[in-house]
Amino acid sequence: MACRAVKVTRPPLMAVSEARAISQRDLPKLGSEWVLLAHANNRVLASVPLAKLTQPPFPASAMDGYALRAEDLSSGTGELEVVGESAAGHGYHQPIASGTCVRIFTGAPVPQHADTIAIQENATPLANRRVKIDKAEQPGRYIRPAGGDFQLNQELLATGTRLTPQNLALLAAAGHQHVEVRQRPLVAIISTGDELVPVGTVPDKDQIISSNATGVVARIEAAGGTPLDLGIVADEPVALESAFEQALNAGAQLVLTLGGASAGDHDLVRPVFEGMGGQLDLYRIAMRPGKPFMVGRLAGDAGELRLLGLPGNPVSSLVCTKLFAEPIISALMGATYSDGKMWGTLAQPLGANDEREDYSRCLVTALPSGSWSVTPFAKQDSSLLHIAAASNALLCRPVHQRALSEGDAIQFMFW
């Protein structure tokens, strides 16, 4: 009896926006911890810090010059007696009388009754501790008011703020040594494939160096996560199941598998994950690079483990980490995420796009007009790391976008 061929149907490719929404659905918010400011860069605030003092604590000079009473120069210029000096850390604490002034330096306290600063460029020192002021200034000129930066108990930053060096300097100035931040998500990385050998190993015939995890780990760290590289796993169900168990037992919130996401005989991520009781939320997306992509979840004693099954091509892994893993890391920490899409001008023509969203490697340069020039690379194969390394951005095209001409507007996001 002749056997009839059975047609295998696959679900349609899912839109990237829908896939991103599903991957971030029902994410918990991690707990908090107190850390030193020195260790808080790129962390996410878990509470609102209040200023522990007023800054500046006194009216301070913004320039080197002479502190005086503006009324003494009502005629525009005049001579004044220099009765003292006020320097940073060594102020002059007597009130100044009419007809007198105090030599003052940037950051120093302004003496009582002085209401303006005549900068030293507009002053001529004379004999007998006198000075000629050549230009009058308006009251309050060059004086930083007390509390002009912040005041005691003022709210400094909002919860969910990702801390920058500027934020940390503000907190330090406001009297903070520690800050309460969200815990960093633990992100496990599993590289799959019999063909892979560790970095630093000379590959034999039919082998390649496992490079994907190196770039993915760096992106996770930059996004604020803590990477847990579980190394290379052979194309054997038992080995992959063991790696998933390691991620669960370590308390990881997210696991990225690199490779094994397609439907070939050696692509084991899906069957092993589902065989452990994992639920697959999506499979295959309308995106280039990155079509073979999975999102799932697996319950464990330490909590739920979210799965991102990434393609094995190195550029695909990097692009999918940026588009999917980084927003999840931000959400777990309670931070607002933006992919930073911007508009630029296309530097060369592009043909029409097909049914997949396209993220082409490109070089973006600033134009004298203040806009951006976007030049896509001719070669876009997702295995070409030298192209990814030469690029500084991803050109973003929606599905079925028409052919574009040089000078047309185009969206992009910096790496």
Side-chain angles (χ1 to χ4, degrees):
M1 180 177 178
C3 295
R4 292 192 307 169
V6 178
K7 184 178 180 180
V8 178
T9 60
R10 291 182 176 178
L13 298 178
M14 183 176 290
V16 173
S17 58
E18 185 179 358
R20 292 180 75 173
I22 289 174
S23 69
Q24 297 172 50
R25 191 168 55 198
D26 300 327
L27 286 172
K29 188 178 293 185
L30 299 182
S32 65
E33 59 184 348
W34 288 87
V35 300
L36 287 166
L37 290 186
H39 301 151
N41 189 44
N42 204 32
R43 300 295 296 269
V44 175
L45 271 178
S47 60
V48 176
L50 304 180
K52 296 184 176 183
L53 46 82
T54 294
Q55 180 76 1
F58 44 74
S61 178
M63 301 288 284
D64 293 344
Y66 295 86
L68 50 84
R69 299 161 67 136
E71 64 185 27
D72 286 340
L73 298 178
S74 57
S75 62
T77 63
E79 290 187 17
L80 300 172
E81 179 186 0
V82 182
V83 296
E85 178 181 286
S86 183
H90 304 280
Y92 182 86
H93 299 294
Q94 302 299 318
I96 63 170
S98 179
T100 68
C101 66
V102 167
R103 180 75 165 108
I104 198 166
F105 299 93
T106 303
V110 176
Q112 188 178 354
H113 298 327
D115 60 6
T116 191
I117 306 296
I119 61 174
Q120 62 187 18
E121 292 87 345
N122 296 331
T124 304
L126 304 174
N128 300 321
R129 295 180 60 82
R130 296 187 68 79
V131 63
K132 180 176 181 294
I133 306 301
D134 303 315
K135 179 184 177 182
E137 299 289 359
Q138 294 296 319
R141 183 66 166 163
Y142 300 124
I143 293 178
R144 297 167 178 160
D149 196 355
F150 50 80
Q151 299 184 5
L152 177 67
N153 293 325
Q154 179 179 328
E155 293 186 359
L156 299 172
L157 298 166
T159 301
T161 298
R162 189 180 288 271
L163 293 171
T164 65
Q166 306 92 290
N167 299 147
L168 298 177
L170 171 63
L171 293 174
H176 290 273
Q177 185 180 9
H178 298 82
V179 64
E180 187 180 16
V181 295
R182 291 290 173 192
Q183 295 171 348
R184 299 179 66 189
L186 183 62
V187 183
I189 302 101
I190 301 172
S191 301
T192 69
D194 290 343
E195 77 279 13
L196 301 178
V197 296
V199 174
T201 302
V202 178
D204 291 333
K205 182 181 179 182
D206 301 329
Q207 293 180 323
I208 59 172
I209 294 172
S210 178
S211 62
N212 293 20
T214 300
V216 168
V217 163
R219 293 211 69 90
I220 290 168
E221 287 181 330
T226 298
L228 174 64
D229 190 351
L230 296 179
I232 300 169
V233 175
D235 290 325
E236 297 178 1
V238 174
L240 184 54
E241 183 174 338
S242 176
F244 280 132
E245 290 287 353
Q246 289 183 63
L248 280 169
N249 295 335
Q253 290 81 35
L254 179 63
V255 59
L256 308 184
T257 55
L258 311 182
S262 295
D265 293 342
H266 299 282
D267 294 311
L268 303 177
V269 172
R270 181 175 184 176
V272 170
F273 188 76
E274 291 182 325
M276 296 176 66
Q279 173 187 332
L280 205 65
D281 294 326
L282 69 90
Y283 176 62
R284 300 171 75 242
I285 53 177
M287 173 177 158
R288 180 191 304 103
K291 182 174 72 171
F293 177 82
M294 290 180 284
V295 172
R297 60 188 73 197
L298 177 64
D301 294 336
E304 185 178 78
L305 178 67
R306 192 68 54 103
L307 165 72
L308 294 184
L310 276 54
N313 280 320
V315 178
S316 301
S317 291
L318 289 171
V319 172
C320 288
T321 300
K322 176 173 177 59
L323 292 182
F324 292 92
E326 291 182 10
I328 290 175
I329 291 170
S330 289
L332 288 167
M333 295 188 295
T336 301
Y337 177 80
S338 171
D339 55 22
K341 283 186 178 179
M342 304 170 66
W343 287 94
T345 301
L346 195 59
Q348 64 189 47
L350 278 178
N353 193 26
D354 60 14
E355 71 276 5
R356 289 196 281 165
E357 256 183 60
D358 190 81
Y359 293 85
S360 301
R361 277 63 69 202
C362 63
L363 190 63
V364 176
T365 55
L367 297 173
S369 62
S371 61
W372 301 98
S373 175
V374 183
T375 305
F377 286 88
K379 296 181 179 180
Q380 290 291 334
D381 190 282
S382 57
S383 68
L384 299 178
L385 278 172
H386 78 281
I387 297 294
S391 68
N392 62 354
L394 297 170
L395 182 153
C396 312
R397 302 190 68 187
V399 298
H400 301 303
Q401 186 182 52
R402 64 173 177 82
L404 298 175
S405 303
E406 179 180 346
D408 282 349
I410 191 75
Q411 272 194 309
F412 69 91
M413 61 174 74
F414 284 111
W415 270 114

